[in-house]
Amino acid sequence: MHQDAKVLCRLEPASTYDRQAGNPRAGVSIAMKLSFALILAVACPIALFASSEETVQRSPANDRTSVSPAKTTTVRPDVPTPTTATLSTLFFNFGNNLVRHKLVQTAVVITNTGSGTLTMNPKLSGNTGYTIVTGTSCASSLAAHKSCDMNLQYDPTVASNPKSQTATLTMNFGNVAAGVPESIEITGVSAALKPGVVTPTNNSQVALYTMTLPFAGEISVKFGTTTTYGHTTWVQSTDASPGTISIFVAGMTQKTLYHMAASVELANGITATDTDHTFTTGAAPAAATGLDLVATTTAGKTPQPGLEMINPLESTEVTDLAGNILWSYLSPTPTLGYIDGVKFLPDGDFLMTIGAISSQPLAPGGVPAAMVNEIREVNLGGDTVKEISIDDLNAELATATCQECSGLVLQTFHHDVEPLPNGHWLVLSNILRNLSPTTKPPLTVSPPQPVLGDVIVDLDENLQPVWAWNEFNHMNPNRQPFAGTFPDWTHTNAVLYSPSDGNFIISTRHENFIIKVNYRNGTGDGEVVWRLGEGGNFKLIGGVDPTDWVYAQHGPAFFSPNTSGVFSLGVMDNGDDRIFPAGNACAVAKPAASCFYTTIPVYRIDEGARTATLTFHQILPNTPDNNLYNTFGGNTNAMANGNVEYDVCGINGPGGESWVYEVTQEANPQTVWKMYSIHNLYRSNRIPSMYPGVTW
């Protein structure tokens, strides 16, 4: 303000000034008063408005406005008190993202470490795919000793992979000292998710769904006859970036249009769904449809969920519980070789034996050279994953140094193969040996002759023999309880691994024994631990001895989590050569056909006490109008819901018919579900779905 104006505005009327100065003036002309008032009216308001160091006061003495050298008050702009701030990080990486996928993350935490209110004005620069989530992020101010989050959204519109998309978040603090960090570098990588590809396989009812993920992740495939799908495959993953995943889509009925779409989850949790694809299944093989399956569920009953895996010897199939064929695999030489002992593996493949009927080596000409004779692992698409032929194994045995491997010349694979937790396979085969009273072992109850005995060979993950067990070294060929079957001596038809003690159990049909062998996961000496059956090592409790032992049995299975010590064991007791107590009408040299029947026993085995207690015992009828006498084959299994499943496959003998039952495990078993076929279904098992770990 001009100095003259300041002076002028501080002047009071002359009379007042003169009085205060002690020199009053008697009067001032009216003209001078008017001139002075005019100058004040113009100059003083301007001067007072322009100066923040001057105040206008009201004189209480005479109630007139006066300008005086009173105390002044300084009025300053609103400047925040200086404070300090910290950032939790100077760099934030969103990682991997998909185009048009909104990913929200807390990029940085701001903390006001001072005593004043922190002001800020956050701004983003760089790639426009990054934005501030204003509703949940720091505002323009932050109280002392408080923290707030800066939440950003990463919604890329274009792919950058493998390059990064970057931006800078600047906080623009208003009242912190110069040099305090206030910028955070933001980065991320985006990629487009390419649609999957669906192709046919060697199995007409199986599709191959392939997706290439831009980053590490996993997929599963949902499928069904509509876009609501209904079934889901298992999950398969890749650690590669990019990585390709292929999943067989199986479990579809024949000649049907299906929809399918992959569900994707990246390693960082991002999820997406592929576009819908369609696939039309082909016809099931005639061998499968010719089984004429009929399945029914009892009204008011609920069967164990899953699918049924059946094994009619010249093929193996999987059906739903309505009897619809979902998957098939045929013997490559159906008129010569049988598929047998099919097992569903933890990797989703199927393991099986393909070979001649086990007694074929005794026939003129032996095992036909033209037939496929091997252990084979196949996938859902019908491709062979791994296999070993009888010739290849014999070549390996010729130079093998493992226990009891020397001198073995195997004839055929038959009946069963048991996969082990360590990836080994216990394969069942047989050999011929000429026996007489002077051989080892000696044969004294029959004329000298070639005898067919069974061998178990332990194959490692590379299908190399590492251990073997030869019945001729451990069993007595002079025990021949099943009349008319020798020299098909033991006719071993099952191998069952015992996880609790590392041993295995075999079923010897012609010996009427279930036998435990000291295997000890490949370190055992092969000695027989015990024999279960008539004339064996156990006392029967809860049944009639000898009638309620097993005869010509098949398919034993554990019915308890533990498999040694005290445990439960079920079996298909065919009953072909059942022994009856003295005095019974059937206890004659040639019993009537009506004397024979099949039972489904479950024994509680106490290895220490050497007792076998019947805890379940269903005796099947054998009458003209209700014949379930199972002359050969079959098996039994414990189900997850507590029920018992069994397969009576030899009704009316080979070429006859079959029934598969699920029944309640009680004194008076109730039928829950059943399946009928006009053909022999040698074995049948309930599996959760077409995928390990997934239940349909």
Side-chain angles (χ1 to χ4, degrees), residues 63-413:
D63 196 31
R64 286 188 296 181
T65 300
S66 63
V67 178
S68 66
K71 294 182 180 180
T72 61
T73 301
T74 301
V75 181
R76 299 184 180 275
D78 187 15
V79 177
T81 302
T83 188
T84 58
T86 61
L87 308 178
S88 61
T89 184
L90 298 178
F91 177 83
F92 182 78
N93 184 7
F94 270 92
N96 300 325
N97 198 7
L98 299 176
V99 171
R100 291 302 183 188
H101 179 269
K102 296 179 179 179
L103 185 61
V104 175
Q105 300 274 2
T106 298
V108 62
V109 177
I110 311 301
T111 301
N112 183 349
T113 56
S115 57
T117 299
L118 174 67
T119 63
M120 64 189 98
N121 184 22
K123 297 293 182 182
L124 267 173
S125 60
N127 189 280
T128 57
Y130 301 101
T131 54
I132 297 173
V133 183
T134 55
T136 59
S137 292
C138 300
S140 59
S141 62
L142 180 64
H145 310 300
K146 297 294 184 179
S147 297
C148 62
D149 297 337
M150 284 303 300
N151 297 317
L152 304 185
Q153 177 176 281
Y154 181 29
D155 183 12
T157 58
V158 295
S160 68
N161 190 34
K163 296 181 179 180
S164 296
Q165 295 174 322
T166 62
T168 300
L169 172 63
T170 304
M171 297 308 301
N172 293 314
F173 296 134
N175 55 330
V176 297
V180 172
E182 62 177 3
S183 295
I184 305 95
E185 296 302 316
I186 310 298
T187 187
V189 178
S190 68
L193 185 64
K194 296 180 180 178
V197 177
V198 177
T199 55
T201 68
N202 290 328
N203 188 307
S204 63
Q205 292 179 256
V206 178
L208 184 65
Y209 199 117
T210 302
M211 281 199 80
T212 297
L213 303 185
F215 312 115
E218 61 187 30
I219 71 169
S220 61
V221 180
K222 50 189 179 180
F223 65 98
T225 55
T226 69
T227 52
T228 58
Y229 306 110
H231 286 319
T232 303
T233 69
W234 63 352
V235 175
Q236 294 291 281
S237 63
T238 177
D239 293 327
S241 298
T244 299
I245 303 173
S246 292
I247 293 181
F248 289 111
V249 181
M252 300 181 283
T253 56
Q254 64 169 337
K255 297 185 287 187
T256 304
L257 174 69
Y258 277 82
H259 293 265
M260 55 190 68
S263 298
V264 179
E265 182 171 354
L266 301 183
N268 61 1
I270 292 175
T271 60
T273 301
D274 190 19
T275 56
D276 181 72
H277 301 265
T278 58
F279 178 82
T280 301
T281 57
T289 56
L291 296 172
D292 294 332
L293 301 173
V294 179
T296 56
T297 297
T298 302
K301 302 289 186 180
T302 302
Q304 170 65 35
L307 306 175
E308 199 68 17
M309 183 175 70
I310 57 177
N311 181 194
L313 293 178
E314 293 187 355
S315 63
T316 185
E317 281 78 26
V318 176
T319 78
D320 61 20
L321 297 188
N324 297 304
I325 300 292
L326 304 180
W327 186 86
S328 301
Y329 187 82
L330 307 183
S331 169
T333 53
T335 59
L336 296 174
Y338 293 115
I339 290 178
D340 216 342
V342 183
K343 305 292 170 63
F344 189 39
L345 299 178
D347 62 3
D349 292 342
F350 293 88
L351 181 64
M352 64 191 72
T353 70
I354 304 176
I357 188 171
S358 63
S359 60
Q360 186 65 39
L362 294 169
V367 178
M371 72 173 300
V372 174
N373 193 349
E374 63 185 41
I375 305 294
R376 183 179 291 183
E377 179 181 341
V378 301
N379 60 29
L380 286 172
D383 309 308
T384 297
V385 176
K386 189 162 59 173
E387 63 186 342
I388 186 169
S389 71
I390 202 81
D391 291 338
D392 289 341
L393 182 51
N394 279 329
E396 293 170 359
L397 288 168
T399 59
T401 59
C402 50
Q403 173 180 302
E404 299 191 34
C405 292
S406 177
L408 294 178
V409 179
L410 306 180
Q411 295 294 306
T412 186
F413 295 119

Side-chain angles (χ1 to χ4, degrees), residues 616-632:
F616 176 82
H617 196 209
Q618 184 174 10
I619 300 174
L620 304 183
N622 179 10
T623 62
D625 59 346
N626 189 14
N627 177 20
L628 290 179
Y629 170 40
N630 183 28
T631 60
F632 82 102

Side-chain angles (χ1 to χ4, degrees), residues 580-592 594-595:
F580 299 92
N584 188 290
C586 294
V588 295
K590 293 185 178 181
S594 59
C595 287

Side-chain angles (χ1 to χ4, degrees), residues 551-613:
Y551 295 91
Q553 74 285 338
H554 286 78
F558 292 113
F559 272 61
S560 58
N562 58 305
T563 60
S564 66
V566 179
F567 63 96
S568 293
L569 185 72
V571 66
M572 168 58 64
D573 166 32
N574 296 82
D576 293 355
D577 60 328
R578 192 176 304 279
I579 299 175
F580 299 92
N584 188 290
C586 294
V588 295
K590 293 185 178 181
S594 59
C595 287
F596 298 104
Y597 57 88
T598 295
T599 78
I600 314 299
V602 176
Y603 301 99
R604 185 175 67 248
I605 306 296
D606 188 328
E607 291 183 300
R610 285 294 196 260
T611 58
T613 304

